[in-house]
Coordinates of all heavy atoms in Angstrom, one line a residue:
Chain B
D29 N 126.3 4.6 160.8 CA 126.4 3.6 159.8 C 127.8 3.5 159.3 O 128.5 4.5 159.2 CB 125.5 3.9 158.6 CG 124.0 3.6 158.9 OD1 123.7 3.6 160.1 OD2 123.3 3.3 158.0
T30 N 128.2 2.3 159.0 CA 129.6 2.2 158.4 C 129.5 2.2 156.8 O 130.5 2.4 156.2 CB 130.2 0.8 158.8 OG1 129.3 -0.2 158.5 CG2 130.5 0.8 160.3
T31 N 128.3 2.0 156.3 CA 128.1 2.0 154.9 C 127.1 3.2 154.6 O 126.0 3.2 155.1 CB 127.4 0.7 154.4 OG1 128.3 -0.4 154.7 CG2 127.3 0.8 152.9
Y32 N 127.6 4.1 153.8 CA 126.8 5.3 153.5 C 127.3 5.9 152.2 O 128.4 5.6 151.7 CB 126.7 6.3 154.6 CG 128.1 6.7 155.1 CD1 128.8 7.8 154.6 CD2 128.7 6.0 156.2 CE1 130.0 8.2 155.0 CE2 129.9 6.4 156.7 CZ 130.6 7.5 156.1 OH 131.8 7.8 156.6
Y33 N 126.5 6.9 151.6 CA 127.0 7.6 150.5 C 126.8 9.1 150.8 O 125.9 9.5 151.5 CB 126.1 7.3 149.2 CG 126.7 6.1 148.5 CD1 126.5 4.8 148.9 CD2 127.4 6.4 147.3 CE1 127.1 3.8 148.2 CE2 127.9 5.3 146.5 CZ 127.8 4.0 147.0 OH 128.3 3.0 146.3
L34 N 127.7 9.9 150.2 CA 127.6 11.3 150.3 C 127.4 11.9 148.9 O 127.9 11.4 147.9 CB 128.9 11.9 150.9 CG 129.1 11.5 152.4 CD1 130.6 11.6 152.7 CD2 128.3 12.3 153.3
F35 N 126.6 13.0 148.9 CA 126.3 13.6 147.6 C 126.5 15.1 147.7 O 126.3 15.7 148.8 CB 124.8 13.3 147.2 CG 124.4 11.9 147.1 CD1 124.2 11.1 148.2 CD2 124.3 11.3 145.8 CE1 123.9 9.7 148.0 CE2 124.0 10.0 145.6 CZ 123.8 9.2 146.7
W36 N 126.7 15.7 146.5 CA 126.6 17.2 146.4 C 125.6 17.5 145.3 O 125.6 16.9 144.2 CB 128.0 17.8 146.1 CG 128.8 18.1 147.3 CD1 129.8 17.2 147.8 CD2 128.8 19.2 148.1 NE1 130.4 17.8 148.9 CE2 129.8 19.1 149.1 CE3 128.1 20.4 148.1 CZ2 130.1 20.0 150.0 CZ3 128.4 21.4 149.0 CH2 129.4 21.2 150.0
Y37 N 124.7 18.5 145.6 CA 123.8 19.0 144.6 C 123.9 20.5 144.5 O 124.3 21.1 145.5 CB 122.3 18.6 145.1 CG 121.9 17.2 144.9 CD1 122.1 16.2 145.8 CD2 121.2 16.9 143.7 CE1 121.7 14.9 145.6 CE2 120.7 15.6 143.5 CZ 121.0 14.6 144.5 OH 120.5 13.3 144.3
K38 N 123.6 21.0 143.3 CA 123.7 22.4 143.1 C 122.2 22.9 142.8 O 121.5 22.2 142.1 CB 124.6 22.7 141.9 CG 124.6 24.1 141.4 CD 125.4 24.2 140.1 CE 125.4 25.7 139.6 NZ 126.3 25.8 138.4
Q39 N 121.9 24.0 143.4 CA 120.6 24.6 143.2 C 120.8 26.0 142.6 O 121.0 27.0 143.4 CB 119.7 24.6 144.5 CG 118.3 25.1 144.2 CD 117.4 25.1 145.5 OE1 117.9 25.4 146.5 NE2 116.2 24.7 145.3
P40 N 120.8 26.2 141.3 CA 120.9 27.5 140.7 C 119.7 28.4 141.0 O 118.7 27.9 141.5 CB 121.1 27.2 139.2 CG 120.4 25.9 139.0 CD 120.6 25.1 140.3
P41 N 119.8 29.6 140.7 CA 118.7 30.6 140.9 C 117.3 30.1 140.4 O 116.3 30.4 140.9 CB 119.1 31.9 140.3 CG 120.6 31.8 140.4 CD 121.0 30.4 140.2
S42 N 117.4 29.3 139.3 CA 116.1 28.8 138.7 C 115.4 27.8 139.6 O 114.2 27.5 139.4 CB 116.4 28.2 137.3 OG 117.5 27.3 137.5
G43 N 116.1 27.3 140.6 CA 115.4 26.5 141.6 C 115.5 25.0 141.6 O 115.3 24.3 142.6
E44 N 115.9 24.4 140.4 CA 116.0 22.9 140.4 C 117.2 22.4 141.1 O 118.1 23.2 141.3 CB 115.9 22.4 138.9 CG 117.2 22.6 138.1 CD 117.4 24.0 137.5 OE1 116.7 24.9 138.0 OE2 118.2 24.2 136.6
L45 N 117.3 21.2 141.4 CA 118.5 20.6 142.0 C 119.2 19.7 141.0 O 118.6 18.9 140.3 CB 118.1 19.7 143.2 CG 117.9 20.4 144.4 CD1 116.5 20.5 144.8 CD2 118.7 19.8 145.6
V46 N 120.5 20.0 140.9 CA 121.3 19.3 139.9 C 122.4 18.5 140.6 O 123.1 19.0 141.5 CB 122.1 20.4 139.0 CG1 123.0 19.7 138.0 CG2 121.1 21.2 138.3
F47 N 122.4 17.2 140.3 CA 123.3 16.3 141.0 C 124.7 16.6 140.5 O 125.0 16.8 139.3 CB 122.9 14.8 140.6 CG 124.0 13.8 140.8 CD1 124.2 13.3 142.1 CD2 124.7 13.3 139.8 CE1 125.2 12.4 142.4 CE2 125.7 12.3 140.0 CZ 125.9 11.8 141.3
L48 N 125.7 16.6 141.4 CA 127.1 16.9 141.0 C 128.0 15.6 141.2 O 128.7 15.2 140.3 CB 127.7 18.0 141.9 CG 127.0 19.4 141.6 CD1 127.7 20.4 142.6 CD2 127.2 19.8 140.2
I49 N 127.9 15.0 142.4 CA 128.8 13.9 142.6 C 128.3 13.0 143.8 O 127.5 13.5 144.6 CB 130.2 14.4 143.0 CG1 131.2 13.2 143.0 CG2 130.2 15.0 144.4 CD1 132.6 13.6 143.2
R50 N 128.7 11.7 143.8 CA 128.4 10.8 144.9 C 129.7 10.2 145.3 O 130.6 10.1 144.5 CB 127.4 9.8 144.6 CG 128.0 8.4 144.1 CD 127.1 7.5 143.4 NE 127.0 7.9 142.0 CZ 125.9 7.8 141.2 NH1 124.8 7.5 141.7 NH2 126.0 8.2 140.0
R51 N 129.8 9.8 146.6 CA 131.0 9.2 147.1 C 130.6 8.2 148.1 O 129.8 8.5 149.0 CB 132.0 10.2 147.7 CG 133.2 9.7 148.4 CD 134.2 9.0 147.4 NE 134.8 9.9 146.5 CZ 135.0 9.6 145.2 NH1 134.6 8.5 144.7 NH2 135.6 10.5 144.5
N52 N 131.1 6.9 148.1 CA 130.7 6.0 149.1 C 131.7 6.0 150.2 O 132.9 6.4 150.1 CB 130.5 4.6 148.5 CG 131.8 3.8 148.2 OD1 132.7 3.7 149.1 ND2 132.0 3.4 147.0
S53 N 131.3 5.4 151.3 CA 132.1 5.5 152.6 C 133.4 4.7 152.5 O 134.2 4.9 153.4 CB 131.2 5.0 153.8 OG 130.6 3.8 153.5
F54 N 133.5 3.9 151.6 CA 134.8 3.0 151.5 C 135.8 3.6 150.5 O 136.8 3.0 150.3 CB 134.4 1.6 151.1 CG 133.5 1.0 152.1 CD1 132.1 0.7 151.9 CD2 134.0 0.6 153.4 CE1 131.3 0.2 152.8 CE2 133.1 0.0 154.3 CZ 131.8 -0.2 154.1
D55 N 135.4 4.7 149.8 CA 136.3 5.2 148.8 C 136.7 6.6 149.2 O 136.0 7.5 149.0 CB 135.5 5.2 147.5 CG 136.4 5.7 146.3 OD1 137.6 6.0 146.6 OD2 135.9 5.8 145.2
E56 N 138.0 6.7 149.7 CA 138.4 8.0 150.1 C 139.3 8.7 149.1 O 139.9 9.7 149.4 CB 139.2 7.9 151.4 CG 138.3 7.6 152.6 CD 139.0 7.8 153.9 OE1 139.3 8.9 154.3 OE2 139.3 6.8 154.6
Q57 N 139.3 8.2 147.9 CA 140.0 8.9 146.8 C 139.4 10.2 146.5 O 138.2 10.3 146.4 CB 140.0 8.0 145.6 CG 141.0 6.9 145.6 CD 141.2 6.3 144.2 OE1 140.5 6.7 143.2 NE2 142.1 5.4 144.1
N58 N 140.2 11.2 146.4 CA 139.7 12.5 145.9 C 139.3 12.4 144.5 O 139.8 11.6 143.7 CB 140.8 13.6 146.1 CG 141.0 13.9 147.6 OD1 140.1 13.6 148.4 ND2 142.2 14.3 147.9
E59 N 138.4 13.3 144.1 CA 138.0 13.3 142.7 C 138.0 14.7 142.1 O 137.8 15.7 142.8 CB 136.5 12.8 142.6 CG 136.0 12.7 141.2 CD 135.0 11.6 141.0 OE1 134.9 10.7 141.8 OE2 134.2 11.7 140.0
I60 N 138.4 14.7 140.8 CA 138.5 16.0 140.1 C 137.6 15.9 138.8 O 137.7 14.9 138.1 CB 139.9 16.4 139.7 CG1 140.7 16.6 141.0 CG2 140.0 17.7 138.9 CD1 142.2 16.8 140.7
S61 N 136.8 16.9 138.6 CA 136.0 16.9 137.4 C 136.1 18.3 136.8 O 135.3 19.2 137.3 CB 134.6 16.5 137.6 OG 133.8 16.6 136.4
G62 N 137.0 18.6 135.9 CA 137.1 20.0 135.4 C 137.5 20.9 136.5 O 138.6 20.7 137.1
R63 N 136.8 21.9 136.7 CA 137.1 22.9 137.8 C 136.7 22.5 139.2 O 136.9 23.2 140.2 CB 136.5 24.3 137.4 CG 137.0 24.9 136.1 CD 136.4 26.3 135.9 NE 134.9 26.2 135.8 CZ 134.1 26.7 136.7 NH1 134.5 27.2 137.9 NH2 132.8 26.6 136.5
Y64 N 136.0 21.4 139.2 CA 135.4 20.9 140.5 C 136.3 19.8 141.1 O 136.8 18.9 140.3 CB 134.0 20.3 140.3 CG 132.9 21.2 139.9 CD1 131.7 20.8 139.5 CD2 133.1 22.6 139.9 CE1 130.7 21.6 139.1 CE2 132.1 23.5 139.4 CZ 130.9 22.9 139.1 OH 129.9 23.8 138.7

Side-chain angles (χ1 to χ4, degrees):
Chain B
D29 284 26
T30 55
T31 303
Y32 52 88
Y33 271 77
L34 294 159
F35 298 78
W36 276 93
Y37 283 85
K38 173 182 179 180
Q39 186 176 42
S42 49
E44 75 276 19
L45 275 109
V46 178
F47 165 76
L48 294 178
I49 192 172
R50 95 198 85 216
R51 174 66 70 222
N52 78 56
S53 51
F54 300 107
D55 181 3
E56 288 195 68
Q57 279 193 357
N58 292 333
E59 180 151 343
I60 298 175
S61 175
R63 297 185 297 107
Y64 295 169

